[in-house]
Amino acid sequence: MSGRGKKNAMKLKKAPTSRSAKAGLQFPVGRVARLLKKGNYAARIGSGAAVYLAALLEYLCAEVLELAGNAAKDNRKQRIAPRHIQLAVRNDEELNVLLGGVIISEGGVLPNIQAALLPKKTSKPSAHDDQSSTDVQSQAF
C-alpha cells in the first residue's frame, strides 16, 4: 500500500479534448447538445445528433459567408453588409428555397425590371425614309 499506482495514473492523464475538436468543427458541439436537451424537442437526444447539427450549421454559415463575401467584393466593399447577404441568398437557387420565407432586415430587393417596361428596341431609319419616318422619341396618343 505504497500508493505508487496513483502516481503513474496522474502522469498518464491527458488534457480533455472537446467534442468540437474531436469532430474537427468550429461550432460548439457541447452547446448545441445542451440546447437540444433543454429545448424539449424530444424525450431523448442521441450523442451524434449534436455533432451532426453543429456540422450542418457550420456548413450553412460557411456557404452563406462565402457567397456574401463574393457579393461584397463585387461591390468593392471590405465588410459584409446585410445587403450582401440578401444578394447572396437570393441569387443562389438552393439557399433561396431554404430561406424563401425569411426577410433579411436592411437587405433590400434584387434588382429586377420587367421586360414589358423596358423601352422597345428600334432599328435605325434608312436613308430614303429619312423624311417620311416619324420621330422615334415622340409618342402619338
Side-chain angles (χ1 to χ4, degrees), residues 3 39 88 106 122:
E106 297 290 325
T122 58

Side-chain angles (χ1 to χ4, degrees), residues 11-113:
K11 290 179 183 177
L12 297 176
K13 191 174 184 181
K14 56 185 174 181
T17 307
S18 68
R19 286 188 279 175
S20 298
K22 287 179 185 176
L25 298 175
Q26 299 298 315
F27 270 49
V29 175
R31 183 179 299 174
V32 171
R34 175 176 48 88
L35 293 173
L36 277 175
K37 289 176 185 175
K38 289 191 177 183
N40 289 330
Y41 298 109
R44 295 160 40 140
I45 303 293
S47 61
V51 177
Y52 187 86
L53 185 58
L56 176 74
L57 291 172
E58 183 175 322
Y59 169 73
L60 285 176
C61 284
E63 189 74 22
V64 169
L65 282 175
E66 180 184 356
L67 293 172
N70 293 341
K73 192 178 287 186
D74 291 343
N75 291 331
R76 296 180 299 280
K77 303 288 185 195
Q78 292 291 320
R79 293 192 186 122
I80 295 175
R83 173 72 177 158
H84 303 132
I85 297 173
Q86 173 82 323
L87 291 173
V89 168
R90 299 303 170 214
N91 285 326
D92 188 71
E93 287 182 28
E94 294 170 344
L95 284 176
N96 191 24
V97 171
L98 181 66
L99 301 175
V102 175
I103 297 173
I104 298 174
S105 179
E106 297 290 325
V109 296
L110 285 182
N112 185 23
I113 300 174

